[in-house]
Amino acid sequence: QVQLVESGGGLVQAGGSLRLSCAASGNLLVINNMSWYRQAPGKQRELVATITRGGSTNYTDSVKGRFTISRDNAKNTVYLQMNSLKPEDAADYYCNADILLSLRKGREYYWGQGTQVTVSS
């Protein structure tokens, strides 16, 4: 019923930039927190950034000052602007959304399909 579609991943040289997008579609009432996670091969998935519906943000220390999470509530979309990319940023990036579907159906958490970010040195 609800789908999160990610885009914007790709190959970039160290020091470059990418902008990831994640758009939610389907019947829903409210999108609460939206987050970006990443997972490199052989490593645990880690939380990169979170943004509340009102725009409050949090970042993992390793990306502070380089990444910016934002959202457009009218478009049900969250973005991750990634600047000064480092090889250690390479991973599959996943968006996550805490969504109130309806008063009857309640809340559910959804994941995007993932988008790959590769950073060459």
Side-chain angles (χ1 to χ4, degrees):
Q1 185 175 1
V2 173
Q3 186 178 29
L4 270 55
V5 179
E6 302 174 21
S7 62
L11 173 64
V12 65
Q13 289 190 333
S17 297
L18 285 173
R19 182 177 173 87
L20 307 182
S21 299
C22 175
S25 62
N27 285 341
L28 57 90
L29 211 57
V30 178
I31 303 178
N32 299 305
N33 287 2
M34 301 186 82
S35 300
W36 287 97
Y37 290 76
R38 66 186 180 188
Q39 187 168 25
K43 296 185 178 181
Q44 291 185 321
R45 186 170 298 186
E46 68 169 338
L47 176 63
V48 177
T50 297
I51 185 167
T52 69
R53 181 170 180 82
S56 297
T57 60
N58 283 286
Y59 301 90
T60 191
D61 287 343
S62 63
V63 308
K64 287 180 179 177
R66 300 187 298 119
F67 290 12
T68 302
I69 188 171
S70 61
R71 65 190 289 169
D72 185 337
N73 291 337
K75 297 180 179 179
N76 289 337
T77 299
V78 63
Y79 307 93
L80 186 67
Q81 178 67 45
M82 304 184 294
N83 298 326
S84 302
L85 281 162
K86 304 175 181 179
E88 49 263 47
D89 295 318
D92 291 327
Y93 283 72
Y94 300 87
C95 65
N96 174 271
D98 172 12
I99 297 176
L100 178 63
L101 298 173
S102 69
L103 294 179
R104 181 184 67 82
K105 292 184 285 187
R107 292 185 186 227
E108 296 288 347
Y109 295 87
Y110 289 87
W111 289 94
Q113 81 283 1
T115 185
Q116 187 173 57
V117 172
T118 303
V119 184
S120 62
S121 60

